[in-house]
């Protein structure tokens, strides 16, 4: 029946999400023991500029990826580069629902992750990571942009912003 298929689909999604969380937790745990010699990609690189095109809509997964971006920013090899790193997280699509206060339609568990997202963003902004929220996406997804969390710069179109960062030689990293 349709109900049985939906329940089966939900279970597969839950198992996949749990697997990803374990994988990223393991990667995060190992990040602290990585040394500069393992980053051949950083040889002769003076600064690391990254624009994250952030489109995740699940609060738990989004909270995890924001944590990973933050840990990347705090990595001793990134911090030790000749030029300071520049990171910007461009919130796009349905992800704008995650960066506005008092969103409806979320479970009690989701609200825990939404609070973690708000706190993480505040910490990231304090550490120097920039955030942009797409006004076009807010309009499409019915989000009041006046409720965007503090520290999120409002932009008209995320695609223009990401393309602009690419033109400035930022690495454009899709997070979806």
């Amino acid at each position: 029946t349709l109900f049985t298929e939906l329940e089966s689909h939900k279970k597969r999604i839950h198992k996949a999400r749990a697997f990803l969380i374990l994988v990223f937790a393991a990667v995060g745990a190992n990040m602290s023991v990585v040394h500069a010699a393992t980053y051949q990609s950083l040889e002769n690189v003076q600064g690391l500029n990254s624009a994250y095109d952030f489109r995740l809509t699940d609060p738990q997964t989004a909270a995890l990826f924001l944590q990973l971006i933050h840990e990347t920013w705090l990595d001793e090899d990134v911090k030790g580069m000749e030029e300071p790193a520049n990171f910007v997280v461009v919130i796009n699509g349905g992800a704008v629902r995650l960066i506005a206060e008092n969103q409806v339609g979320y479970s009690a568990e989701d609200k825990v992750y939404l609070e973690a997202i708000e706190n993480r963003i505040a910490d990231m902004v304090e550490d120097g990571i920039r955030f942009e929220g797409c006004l076009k996406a807010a309009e499409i997804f019915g989000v009041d942009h006046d409720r965007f969390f503090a520290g999120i710069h409002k932009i008209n179109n995320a695609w223009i912003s990401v393309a602009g960062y690419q033109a400035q030689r930022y690495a454009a990293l899709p997070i979806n």
Side-chain angles (χ1 to χ4, degrees):
T1 68
L2 181 59
F3 179 75
T4 306
E5 288 180 35
L6 286 173
E7 285 300 312
S8 176
H9 182 69
K10 283 183 181 179
K11 286 179 183 177
R12 283 194 307 270
I13 290 174
H14 183 70
K15 285 181 182 177
R17 184 181 299 150
F19 174 75
L20 284 174
I21 289 170
L22 286 173
V23 167
F24 285 115
V27 168
N30 289 331
M31 284 182 77
S32 62
V33 297
V34 173
H35 301 288
T38 62
Y39 289 116
Q40 291 179 355
S41 61
L42 295 181
E43 287 182 24
N44 300 316
V45 174
Q46 295 178 6
L48 195 63
N49 298 328
S50 302
Y52 297 89
D53 184 2
F54 199 92
R55 300 177 190 214
L56 295 172
T57 58
D58 174 68
Q60 184 177 9
T61 306
L64 175 66
F65 273 84
L66 286 172
Q67 176 185 340
L68 292 171
I69 293 168
H70 197 194
E71 288 174 1
T72 302
W73 171 263
L74 297 172
D75 183 276
E76 64 184 57
D77 293 313
V78 172
K79 287 294 184 196
M81 297 185 81
E82 188 175 316
E83 296 288 326
N86 290 296
F87 283 16
V88 61
V89 180
V90 182
I91 308 294
N92 195 1
V96 295
R97 292 187 69 224
L98 303 177
I99 61 165
E101 298 171 344
N102 301 321
Q103 290 297 309
V104 296
Y106 286 105
S107 70
E109 180 184 5
D110 286 342
K111 289 182 181 181
V112 170
Y113 291 107
L114 292 170
E115 184 177 333
I117 289 169
E118 183 175 8
N119 292 334
R120 176 68 65 180
I121 289 173
D123 291 344
M124 292 169 80
V125 167
E126 186 176 313
D127 285 345
I129 299 172
R130 297 187 320 268
F131 277 82
E132 297 181 352
C134 180
L135 296 178
K136 180 54 81 176
E139 178 185 330
I140 290 169
F141 289 94
V143 174
D144 181 357
H145 62 77
D146 288 331
R147 293 183 173 210
F148 280 2
F149 299 146
I152 296 178
H153 179 72
K154 297 172 188 174
I155 55 167
N156 288 326
N157 186 315
W159 290 344
I160 293 171
S161 188
V162 171
Y165 286 114
Q166 280 186 297
Q168 296 176 53
R169 297 184 180 252
Y170 277 63
L173 304 168
I175 308 293
N176 45 344

